[in-house]
Amino acid sequence: MHKVTISEILALKGKRKITMLTAYDYPIAGLVDRAGLDMILVGDSLANVVLGLDSTTKVGMNEMLHHAKAVTRAVKEALVIGDMPYASYQLNSAESVKNAQRFISEANCQAVKLEWFPDCPKVTEEILKAGIPVMGHIGLTPQTADQLGGFKVQGKDANAARRLIEQAQLLEKLGCFSIVLECVPDKIAQMITQKLKIPTIGIGAGLYCDGQVLVINDMLGLFERYTPKFVKKYVNLSPLILKAIEDFKEEVLQEKFPAPEHTFTIKVDELNKI
Ligand code: KIV
């Protein structure tokens, strides 16, 4: 058993692709870890795919820590990253550092992730100064999607692409150990990946990134409300789960479950004594 370290993630750039998935609970995190993924993100996508909320801005520190603790209880090897929720790092630096520290000290994560916003460099610097590894996140940043014109591909014209390149370079200079590129044209993701020494992790950013991440409920077919273009469903679990639940219901109604093999018995002579 070997716990993945930040320096190992850095060293993977240019050697092989880096693998990352989200997880929000003990059983799924355990499976992701057993499959040997390099990193697990306890994403604030928790809000949409687990808690049934309509925006990631509606999840807070308490929910994130609750789920991050369940994930780290299961994970032995992968590097676990806590996704800082909306309003946990935008208000002031001291509060941001305190919240980042909670992911490390209370939830046993190894790093935190921050979505880009205008004050992001300052906050990132403060969190890094406190000794906490930071993963950046640029391109489509769901917490501030309204300010980006909605859930749209980012960096589609030369000026917007240049801004993304500058953001990535600044985050690298500040000391981030990697950067998520979300919904960015593949050639822009390639340019950013080539310009940086730290790994880029793409989601809807094409094949040229140093690694890939997906929301686990999307790739398992466990989220039916909508499916972004960049999602590949490796399995469609929802119909399988629905069928199992319907089978249970039918068997209970028809008194087929529990069968003898699921049933505890008592010897007849003991029964007769009662
Ligand atoms: O919250 C999340 O799941 C994320 C990924 C999409 C990178 O931020």
Side-chain angles (χ1 to χ4, degrees), residues 1-4 23 25-26 28-34 37-40 42 68-80 108 110:
M1 194 186 73
H2 170 75
K3 188 81 182 160
V4 174
D25 62 26
Y26 183 91
I28 297 287
L31 291 174
V32 177
D33 197 40
R34 263 166 62 190
L37 273 82
D38 300 307
M39 297 194 276
I40 295 179
V42 188
K69 284 179 195 173
V71 166
T72 58
R73 264 177 228 131
V75 174
K76 297 188 170 52
E77 305 201 355
L79 188 100
V80 181
N108 288 316
Q110 283 76 56

Side-chain angles (χ1 to χ4, degrees), residues 20 22 24 41-46 56 83 113 115 137 142 180 182 203 213-215 230:
M20 173 161 128
T22 66
Y24 317 96
L41 172 71
V42 188
D44 66 352
S45 48
L46 169 78
T56 56
D83 204 6
K113 176 170 82 60
E115 290 185 12
H137 182 160
V180 168
E182 180 164 352
I203 176 161
V213 57
L214 279 177
V215 168
F230 57 76

